[in-house]
Amino acid sequence: MTEMLTMKRRTFLTGSAGAVVAAGFAGTAPLARAQDAKPLPDYVAWKDADALIVHSDKTLETKRGAIGTSIITPEEKLYIRNNVNTPPESIVADRDAWAVEFAGVKEPKTLTVAELKTLGLATVATVLQCSGNGRKYFMDQLTGDQKMSGTPWTVGAAGCVLWSGVPLKAVVDALGGPADGVRFITGTGGEELPAGLDPKDLVVERSVPMSNLENVILAWEMNGNPTSLAHGGPLRMIVPGYSGVNNIKYVKTLALTEAETDAKIQRTNYRMHALGEQGSPDDPPVWEQPVRSWITTPLESAAAGPAQVAGVAFGGMNACESVEVSVDGGQNWQKANFVGPDLGRFAWRNFVLSVELAPGSYTLVSRATDTEGNVQPEESEMNGSGYSHNGWRGPAVALTVS
Ligand SMILES: Nc1nc2c(c(=O)[nH]1)N[C@H]1C(S)=C(S)[C@@H](COP(=O)(O)O)O[C@H]1N2
Ligand SMILES: [Mo]
């Protein structure tokens, strides 16, 4: 049964955009054959194909039912989002030799991973989530000739990951402290860019405010293993609480800068702009993640009787304070319980509500509140690129109990 549902959902989500919008996530999926699903691309052939929806070679989504209830997302199930081609495997052949150039400090220097390992050690659990996670729910709200481009992610462009590495603060301290006047931490990805095109248009380079200096770590380990190439090895810049794009894989340059980078991915992309317009440097950047939750089980159908409604909830920069669950589409809410250990304010919490379900149709939704009192809205405010969705209505589960 589970396998059948899994297969249905996979094909459903990789089907034509029109079919996806018309049917809705929890609605009736068109009957599907397993071979409709795209295979895993070579560079992530080691991943769990049954747990992933392959939107494209550069965009793989974790199936909603595959996330599990034990906090940490296994690497083989974690989503993938690449803006450009992944670097060659050769860069992880000798991880300790990977060199990072540090600038914007009193004593600029290039340090290898081996050297960085001597300067400090920290472990942090963070929600790694693509800025476009939930874009499909914005797309569903479009009318007439309104359009939105981008991957129609539902809830699976997210995971909770344990990172180990050196705190950036320790490196900056070792290099004499920040240079005068710096206001941003700017990380650059180590991809080789195609020749003949303007590198500023392609480079994955992001700036985040210096207020993150205490939080950022440069991670060589993910979930207990050396950070895989696909997820940013040999070294990844992790900005806890911040949207996925700010977590630079294969970080090659780390600069404290006076201004935000003028790379396209920062200047005009990943900005909260109006529908039908282009992003501009005046629009707010996609940085801190808003409070959010969704249900991961049950999905689609359940047997009458007792059931455990479970999911994940997080507050971005803040811990998640509480989660409420409704089985009637948001008319009545009940407080859920947290499951498992608290891995800190940047991690997500698994939650559960025990319910007794009689035969019939249910609409399951969840609503999280963070420690600052921010509550998920019913609908997110529309933005032209479909970033930072956190409305509770979108990821509703239509459940049939028999
Ligand atoms: N160097 C580099 N870093 C990157 C990206 C990239 O394409 N190149 N993609 C970003 C985006 S948009 C997201 S959502 C996350 C995805 O991380 P993952 O593929 O490890 O899940 O990495 C971010 N960091
Ligand atoms: Mo992303």
Side-chain angles (χ1 to χ4, degrees), residues 81 130-131 245 270:
R81 166 70 169 116
C130 185
S131 319
V245 68
Y270 295 89

Side-chain angles (χ1 to χ4, degrees), residues 204-274:
V204 180
E205 184 171 273
R206 292 282 299 175
S207 303
V208 300
M210 272 291 275
S211 55
N212 293 285
L213 185 60
E214 305 283 337
N215 294 341
V216 171
I217 74 166
L218 304 175
W220 49 76
E221 197 174 296
M222 178 181 137
N223 293 352
N225 292 313
T227 308
S228 61
L229 178 65
H231 290 295
L235 198 70
R236 184 167 190 170
M237 173 171 113
I238 298 301
V239 188
Y242 271 49
S243 200
V245 68
N246 303 290
N247 296 264
I248 301 294
K249 307 196 231 190
Y250 3 92
V251 65
K252 192 70 194 144
T253 306
L254 201 307
L256 305 184
T257 55
E258 291 179 17
E260 289 179 42
T261 168
D262 61 356
K264 189 178 176 192
I265 199 169
Q266 177 96 14
R267 202 169 52 82
T268 55
N269 292 2
Y270 295 89
R271 298 269 171 184
M272 301 295 276
H273 62 89

